[in-house]
Amino acid sequence: MIESILWLAVGLMVASSVIPRTSRVRKLIGGIGWGVFSIHWSYQPLHYLKIMDYANVLLTIVVALFCLLVAYIMFLEYRKGPLKIINNREVLHSKFSDQSEADSLDITSMLTSASALGALVYFPFANFASLNTLIIGGVTSQVTWVLQYLDIPAYMKAWNMISLNGYTVEIILACTAIESIALFMGLICAVRAPLSRLAMAFIVSVPVIYILNLIRDIFVVVAYGEQWFGADSFIIAHNYIAKAGSGIALFVISYAVLRILPELFGMIDGLWVILSNELKSLLLRSEGD
């Protein structure tokens, strides 16, 4: 059921992205897509609670609420027209008939396109067994090769498991960094910029993320196999140190991409203005009631 909900959301977002920007129907379809997407994310905290990954519990709850807010905004745009930002702060609705305004100010449609592109990169690996096995097995083999090259006596216990000193780490899809790779590919491809700058943004993000992820996996295997932090070595190494390192790395990579693609910053800044304005409006309305 969850898989069907996921693909329905992605299909609606893709459909919204290909519909002409002057058509109000794209907002309705996009809003429904984001609403369905929120259902998918609302199920994810249950999985992370089982494995005691509380950081991702909080993250998935925030993502689900974010999807609902975007859905609400797109429904408003369907009724009143795309949101237009005035003087970097004031938000007004414009007309669908104005092609120039729709192209330059349609922030939620750009976000929908970026999400659709990212989903098309990520979800095939998450839902098709052959691709899932390919990427997980590839990362497992590469991590094992590096460890053995460094004379660390690790070996592949199975196609997706690495053992060191009797302690075994299972490589899952989250250990491949495909989520972060899909995110950056979606954002980069959704921006209108010269091909040379798009290529440069890709180079400083996707390959770098993949290499840093291999280093992260190597660290977790060694920290757990050598019991660097005692009985809780895996939890400390994976859930705390590795996640903190990943967060810092993604922040630096994001900064580099934004320097190369200032258009992306414009989209993010516009999205922040729109979301904050609509959220304040909802809160004031609830207080009034």
Side-chain angles (χ1 to χ4, degrees):
M1 176 182 174
I2 298 300
E3 182 178 338
S4 299
I5 290 174
L6 176 62
W7 284 109
L8 175 60
V10 174
L12 289 168
M13 288 182 177
V14 172
S16 175
S17 300
V18 299
I19 293 174
R21 294 193 174 214
T22 52
S23 173
R24 64 185 299 175
V25 176
R26 75 183 318 217
K27 294 294 182 179
L28 176 61
I29 294 177
I32 296 173
W34 280 101
V36 175
F37 206 30
S38 71
I39 297 174
H40 163 75
W41 285 107
S42 66
Y43 277 91
Q44 303 311 307
L46 300 176
H47 163 70
Y48 289 113
L49 280 172
K50 291 180 180 178
I51 61 176
M52 296 185 297
D53 191 344
Y54 301 113
N56 274 330
V57 169
L58 177 61
L59 179 61
T60 50
I61 291 173
V62 171
V63 172
L65 294 174
F66 171 80
C67 292
L68 282 176
L69 182 57
V70 175
Y72 170 76
I73 292 172
M74 293 196 80
F75 286 138
L76 284 182
E77 290 183 305
Y78 169 70
R79 292 173 50 207
K80 302 179 181 180
L83 288 170
K84 177 181 180 181
I85 301 174
I86 307 294
N87 297 325
N88 295 324
R89 285 289 170 262
E90 187 179 357
V91 179
L92 300 172
H93 289 278
S94 58
K95 297 179 180 180
F96 282 97
S97 58
D98 191 329
Q99 179 69 41
S100 61
E101 287 189 353
D103 285 340
S104 60
L105 302 172
D106 201 350
I107 302 296
T108 55
S109 290
M110 291 177 66
L111 175 65
T112 301
S113 297
S115 300
L117 290 167
L120 289 175
V121 173
Y122 170 71
F123 290 122
F125 290 99
N127 292 280
F128 297 135
S130 59
L131 292 176
N132 186 276
T133 301
L134 176 66
I135 191 171
I136 293 175
V139 169
T140 305
S141 299
Q142 291 160 15
V143 170
T144 304
W145 182 88
V146 173
L147 288 169
Q148 293 177 347
Y149 180 80
L150 297 174
D151 291 327
I152 297 173
Y155 65 94
M156 287 179 63
K157 187 175 182 179
W159 69 275
N160 63 337
M161 295 184 180
I162 303 173
S163 287
L164 176 61
N165 297 330
Y167 297 95
T168 301
V169 173
E170 179 182 3
I171 304 297
I172 61 175
L173 190 63
C175 303
T176 66
I178 188 62
E179 300 101 325
S180 299
I181 289 172
L183 172 64
F184 277 90
M185 288 186 68
L187 290 172
I188 291 170
C189 293
V191 172
R192 295 185 176 183
L195 183 59
S196 58
R197 287 200 285 119
L198 291 174
M200 182 60 66
F202 176 87
I203 291 171
V204 303
S205 59
V206 173
V208 173
I209 290 171
Y210 190 82
I211 293 171
L212 291 178
N213 179 72
L214 291 179
I215 296 173
R216 182 191 71 164
D217 291 343
I218 291 168
F219 164 75
V220 172
V221 171
V222 175
Y224 184 46
E226 299 289 348
Q227 290 289 282
W228 284 354
F229 310 109
D232 295 326
S233 289
F234 181 81
I235 293 176
I236 293 174
H238 181 271
N239 291 6
Y240 297 103
I241 298 177
K243 284 190 180 299
S246 297
I248 294 171
L250 288 176
F251 177 82
V252 174
I253 292 169
S254 298
Y255 176 77
V257 170
L258 289 173
R259 289 294 301 268
I260 297 170
L261 294 176
E263 298 90 347
L264 183 59
F265 178 80
M267 184 188 79
I268 295 172
D269 183 61
L271 178 64
W272 170 256
V273 173
I274 289 174
L275 292 179
S276 58
N277 271 271
E278 292 302 326
L279 188 57
K280 289 177 184 177
S281 176
L282 285 173
L283 292 175
L284 289 174
R285 197 176 306 168
S286 62
E287 290 177 0
D289 295 339

